[in-house]
Amino acid sequence: MWPGVKGARRPHPREARPGPRDAAVFGGVSAGLRRLAVTPSCRDDGVVSGRRAPGRPAPRYRRHVTIELRRVTAADWRTWRPVRLAALAEAPDAFGSTLADWVDAPEHRWRTRLSLPGGLDLLAFDGARFDGARFDGEQLDGPQPRPVGMASGVPGDEPGTAELISMWVDPSVRGRGVATTLIDAIARWAADSGATTLELSVMPDNVVAQRVYERTGFVASGRPGDELPDGRHELVMRRALRGTPQP
């Protein structure tokens, strides 16, 4: 979900009506950090909110960075909470929920959100701050990885589909390939789960996000998404998985 329309939005159905805790794993790997070394293109700068961070010029070079991806569960709610709140504050039109909906939410609600049935919730950590110490949700001595992005995958409404939701990257690291790394990880999880298509919804006027999605293999589906407060509809995009032809 991406911004583009001012005003209140109805919550995403899977965020509004979460189910029991799920035991899915990320690509067959559960618990612990998975290090992914990427040399990203800087073309995805400002992707998440459709605007570049204030005062931050577009990068003019490529640089090697390491992004740490970790699957989070209900037990990690304290780690996921500040990232979620930062996303809702920085990009208020990007999500069905609002900051006011979540800022005072009790523990059980955070745990429930991280227990969507059949889903996967990922946090991206800035590998430059990772000193090799094990991260297990407890406060450890020494430098710690800094969470800089998030994304979730859930089963789609149609057989053979999965959906990318709750996508956000911290403005301080946009342009470093974090968005692409998260998207590709969700796509791998969806394919490993048996899905042949990954879907997402984007604001119709958020051209920046649409271009990033196109560069990561998504195309417009031609099917209107949810209706927006002004009468327009979200744009639904699809990405074929495992070489499956796009309908």
Side-chain angles (χ1 to χ4, degrees):
M1 306 289 288
W2 306 83
V5 173
K6 301 295 183 181
R9 298 265 316 280
R10 69 177 180 81
H12 188 285
R14 292 181 182 82
E15 294 189 355
R17 297 188 296 275
R21 181 171 182 173
D22 178 68
V25 298
F26 166 37
V29 178
S30 62
L33 292 169
R34 178 176 181 177
R35 174 166 292 181
L36 300 176
V38 297
T39 306
S41 167
C42 62
R43 295 176 63 194
D44 67 345
D45 180 62
V47 55
V48 172
S49 66
R51 56 185 180 276
R52 199 167 284 121
R56 181 170 182 265
R60 297 180 180 276
Y61 56 88
R62 296 166 66 93
R63 54 182 170 174
H64 182 84
V65 297
T66 300
I67 303 301
E68 308 287 343
L69 293 187
R70 185 179 191 273
R71 175 183 181 253
V72 292
T73 65
D76 304 302
W77 72 274
R78 288 184 180 87
T79 303
W80 194 76
R81 179 182 184 274
V83 184
R84 171 71 166 178
L85 294 180
L88 294 173
E90 193 273 330
D93 299 321
F95 305 94
S97 300
T98 66
L99 182 62
D101 293 334
W102 283 93
V103 67
D104 295 320
E107 176 181 342
H108 72 82
R109 189 177 175 198
W110 291 100
R111 287 179 173 273
T112 301
R113 168 56 186 85
L114 290 173
S115 304
L116 298 181
L120 171 71
D121 296 293
L122 294 178
L123 282 180
F125 292 83
D126 185 352
R129 295 172 178 257
F130 184 69
D131 68 348
R134 183 172 62 88
F135 181 83
D136 59 5
E138 299 180 358
Q139 182 64 42
L140 303 178
D141 295 331
Q144 296 299 310
R146 179 173 67 100
V148 293
M150 66 178 187
S152 297
V154 294
D157 294 329
E158 301 175 3
T161 66
E163 188 174 358
L164 171 66
I165 63 171
S166 299
M167 178 78 193
W168 181 77
V169 173
D170 190 296
S172 67
V173 296
R174 290 177 191 166
R176 294 176 55 184
V178 179
T180 299
T181 301
L182 283 165
I183 292 169
D184 287 346
I186 295 295
R188 288 194 298 273
W189 160 82
D192 290 343
S193 299
T196 57
T197 303
L198 181 63
E199 293 188 346
L200 59 83
S201 297
V202 61
M203 290 295 183
D205 56 359
N206 194 339
V207 178
V208 174
Q210 292 173 32
R211 295 295 175 266
V212 172
Y213 287 140
E214 289 170 356
R215 289 195 291 270
T216 55
F218 287 89
V219 297
S221 68
R223 175 172 61 84
D226 292 342
E227 185 175 359
L228 300 169
D230 62 1
R232 297 181 302 161
H233 290 264
E234 292 177 333
L235 175 66
V236 177
M237 303 185 73
R238 313 185 87 186
R239 170 173 166 171
L241 303 175
R242 288 179 172 171
T244 303
Q246 188 69 272

